[in-house]
Amino acid sequence: MRLTEPDIQLNAQKKLRHLLTLEGLKEHQLTEILDLAETFFDPATGDLKKVPLLRGKTIMNVFFEPSTRTRTTFEIAEKRLSADVVNLNIATSATKKGESLLDTLWNLQAMGADMFVIRHADSGAAHFFARHVAPHVHVLNAGDGRHAHPSQALLDMFTIRKHKGDIYDLKVAIVGDILHSRVARSQIQALSILGAREIRVIGPRTLMPSHPEALGVHVYHDMDRGLEDVDVVIMLRLQNERMSGARLPSEKEFFRLYGLTEKRLARAKPDAIVMHPGPINRGVEIDSAVADGPRSVILDQVTNGIAVRMAIMAVIFSNAAQLQQQEREA
Amino acid sequence: MKLRIDNARLLDPSTEQDITASLCVEGNRIVAFGKVPDDFKADEAIDASGLWLMPGLVDLQVRTGEPGDNACGTVASEARAAAAGGVTTFCVPPDTWPVADTPAVPELIRRRARQAGQAFVLPIAALTQGLEGERLAPLHALKNAGCIAASQANRPIRNALTLRNAMEYAASHNVRLMLKPLDVDLADSGVAHDGPVANRLGLPAIPASAETTAVATLLLLAEETGAKIHLNALSCARSVELVRDAKARGLAVTCDVAAHQLHLSEMDLMDFNPLFKVLPPLRSLDDQRALRAGLADGTIDCIISDHTPLYADDKLLPFPQSKPGISGLETLLSLTLRLVESGELTLMQALKALSRNPAQLLGIDGGSLQPGSRASFFLYDPDARWTLRADALLSAGKNTPFEGWEFSGRVVGTWFLGKNVFKPASQDA
C-alpha cells in the first residue's frame, strides 16, 4: 500500500501552516485558535480590537465563487490585524480568459501575497492550491466544494463554547442538507475533535451521505425525535436546486418536515441554542420567530466569525515566525 | 533470419506448459518449442539462463492520443511503451479525435502502427456516430477497415432501445461489442466511488449502481439479442456476481478488469491526488477483493491497462476538474504478477488473463508459443528489482499513481514478429 504524503497543512514543527480542513487536527490545535479569538474582544466594551500582528503582510481573498458574508468577515478580520488586503473575484476575471488556475495563483503570488484566502466550487481545491504555493505562502480554505469550511466550523465552536461552556458532554443536532454541505462536514469534524457527546444529523435520505457512520454521526429522518434533548440545533441553508434533482418535493414539504419552529424547538433542552451559518431562508428551514427569538445566536455567530478568523491567521503567521526563528538558530 | 533462445523458462498459457528449454524462430514465426530441430542453424543464439519467456501480452484497451486534437502521445510513442511492458498487441478505443466512426480513422491508426512496427494495433470502431449514442456508425465498413470490435468508449448509449438496436445490428454482422458498463444518469457529476472516503472528502460520488444496473441491462439485452458482448473495466463486486451468474446460465459474455483496480482503492484518494482519478472510479477494498476473486475463478477473463496517456497539465487541476486516466502499459505486467507473488493467481492464470484469453476472444493468433504461432514474445528477469519512476516511462503520458512502487521482475527484451523491438536502456551500450 502507498503511504499518504505528510499532512500538507502542517509545517516541519507539526504546526498549522495552512488551514484546509479540520480533519486530522488535534484538540489543542483547535482550542489554541478559540482561546486566542477570545483575546481579540475588548473586555470592557465587548468590541473587537485592532492589533498590529500582521502589519506588512499581504492577504489576498481569492473567491472563485460568490460570497458576501464570508468574504466581508475575512476582510474585516484582516484589517483588524493590520494586514494589507486585496479582494479578487475570479469568477468574473482571469480564468474566463483561459488562464489556468495555477497561472492565476502564481501571478498573484508574484504580486507578493503572503496568504491566500480561497473559496472554490471544487472539493479539494484548497489542497490543490496548498500543494502548489511557494513555501512562505499560506492557504486558508474559505470553502471548497462540498469538502470543508473550517473557519465557519471554528466560529461555530467558539459560539457554542461561549453560550454553553465546554463542548464536551453536549448533544448537537445538524439539520438539513448534510450531503452537499461543506459547513456540516467541518462542523462534524470539529465537534468530534472537541469531544461532543453526540452528533446527530437530521434530514431525508436524499440529503444524507451514503455512509454517515464514516462521519461519526447518528442519522434521524424524524425531526421531532432528532431534536429530543439536544443542547445545540444547527440549521443549514437549503439550496433551491435540491428540488430539481428529485431530492425533495417542495420547500413547503421540507419546512413541514424539517423547518425549525418554536413548537419543534420545545423538544430540545430548554436552554438549547439555535445556530445557522447564514444566509437564512425564512420559512424554508427556519421560522422567523425562531431566527429572531431569544435562543437564536445567529448574529452572534457573525461577530464571532471575525475574531475567530483573526485568530486563525494570527496562529498561522506566528507558527511561520517560530519556524523561521528555529531555522535561523539551527 | 533464424533466432534460437536457449535455457529460458518457457511459459505457454495455450498449453499450460512450463519447461526450461529452447525456442526457435524463423522469420516472424515460432518454429520449435522445447527441442531444437537437428537442421535448425541459428543466425543468432541468445542464452536466456535464469529468464522467463512468455507470449506477448494482448491489451484490450490502450489509448494512444492519435488521431487527436493536441492529445498526449502517438501510436508510435505508445507502441514503444507497449514493447517495454511486454505488450505486443493492443486495441485502441474509438474515442479518438475525430472519433473512429469512419474508415479513415482505423486506416490511419493501422498505417501508423505499421510504420512503427512495434506491435499489432487493432482499432475499435465507434458503435454510434460521434459516440453520441443516437445513430449507428457504419459498422460493416468499419469492420472491413480493420476494426476488431465496436465500442462506445467512456460514453455509453443512454437510450435502452438504441442500445438494443445497436446490439441487434452488431449481431447480424458478427461484430463483437466491447462496452463499459456505466449509467451516466446515476453517475451524474460524480468523480469518486460513493463510499466513506468520498463522503468525508465531499467529492461528488458515483454509486456502485451506476455500474451494476448497466451490467444487468447489458447482460439481459445480450441474452435477448444474441449479441457477443465483452464488458470493459469492471470495478464492483456486484458486477462480478452478475457476470458469474450470466456465465453459469450459458451466456457468451466475457469481461475484463483494469490492473490498477486490483491494487488501488478509494482509500488512495485521501489527499485529493488527481493521479488516482480514473473511470470507473477506484472502489472499496471489498470490491477489490471481489475483482481478484473473479479473476481467480475465471469469471473475469482478461486484465487490461486501460492505458490513457495524459499531459501533466491535464492532472494539474483540482481533483474534480482533472482528467481521469492512468498511463498503464508499463505497469500492466508487474501489477498482475504481484497477484501471483501473493498467491492469489497462478502464473498460468495471470498469463492467460494477459494474453491467451484476450487473443481468443478477439479471434486472433496470440498467447501461444507453439510452432506456427507469431513470434511475438518477451523475456523477463524474475529477479530484477526496480522502482517505478514516472519520468522514466517510455509512454508520452507520465500520469502514473505508482510512482515509487517497488517491483521485482522486469521485461528485459521484447520481440514482435521475430524482431527485437525492446531492450532495456542499460543494455544498449
Side-chain angles (χ1 to χ4, degrees), chain A residues 1-2 4-5 23 101-102 120 122-125 127-128 131-132 144 146-147 185 189 209-212 214-215 247, chain B residues 189 194-196 198-205 263 265 268 270-274 276 316-321 401 405:
Chain A
M1 265 336 270
R2 172 178 158 276
T4 52
E5 44 186 288
E23 185 160 19
L101 268 181
L102 268 190
H120 194 282
D122 282 322
S123 302
H127 277 75
F128 170 74
R131 200 169 286 133
H132 294 286
D144 62 331
R146 306 173 185 176
H147 172 232
R185 275 186 185 73
Q189 283 157 2
S210 56
H211 293 69
L215 306 177
R247 291 187 187 273
Chain B
S189 56
D194 190 9
N199 282 181
R200 278 163 66 191
L201 298 182
L203 286 171
H263 294 279
S265 75
D268 290 298
M270 289 306 292
D271 315 314
F272 294 102
N273 185 342
F276 291 87
L316 269 180
L317 287 163
F319 189 91
Q321 282 185 45
W405 278 45

Side-chain angles (χ1 to χ4, degrees), chain A residues 17-175:
Chain A
R17 177 190 160 201
H18 309 293
L19 182 63
L20 311 176
T21 174
L22 299 179
E23 185 160 19
L25 295 186
K26 302 275 189 294
E27 183 176 358
H28 72 87
Q29 287 169 307
L30 269 52
T31 49
E32 179 190 8
I33 292 168
L34 301 180
D35 293 346
L36 181 63
E38 271 169 27
T39 68
F40 292 133
F41 286 100
D42 186 321
T45 64
D47 292 338
L48 275 168
K49 296 187 277 196
K50 179 153 180 162
V51 290
L53 288 175
L54 300 193
R55 184 163 290 152
K57 301 290 183 193
T58 301
I59 301 182
M60 296 194 180
N61 299 317
V62 188
F63 279 62
F64 294 90
E65 233 186 27
S67 150
T68 313
R69 180 176 325 238
T70 303
R71 215 217 58 211
T72 310
T73 50
F74 264 112
E75 186 176 344
I76 296 169
E78 289 149 7
K79 288 179 171 164
R80 294 280 157 113
L81 289 167
S82 313
D84 297 321
V85 181
V86 181
N87 289 312
L88 292 121
N89 193 352
I90 309 273
T92 55
S93 72
T95 50
K96 286 262 163 78
K97 294 179 197 150
E99 187 176 42
S100 86
L101 268 181
L102 268 190
D103 285 324
T104 303
L105 182 81
W106 285 334
N107 273 282
L108 294 174
Q109 188 170 282
M111 293 173 202
D114 295 294
M115 173 182 269
F116 291 115
V117 175
I118 296 182
R119 169 167 290 189
H120 194 282
D122 282 322
S123 302
H127 277 75
F128 170 74
F129 289 117
R131 200 169 286 133
H132 294 286
V133 290
H136 70 279
V137 176
H138 308 280
V139 174
L140 207 166
N141 183 5
D144 62 331
R146 306 173 185 176
H147 172 232
H149 195 351
S151 67
Q152 175 71 44
L154 285 170
L155 78 86
D156 293 333
M157 297 309 111
F158 183 90
T159 307
I160 295 174
R161 221 171 65 154
K162 187 170 140 194
H163 291 272
K164 306 258 87 180
D166 214 334
I167 284 172
Y168 184 78
D169 220 35
L170 295 182
K171 287 185 189 172
V172 181
I174 307 174
V175 186

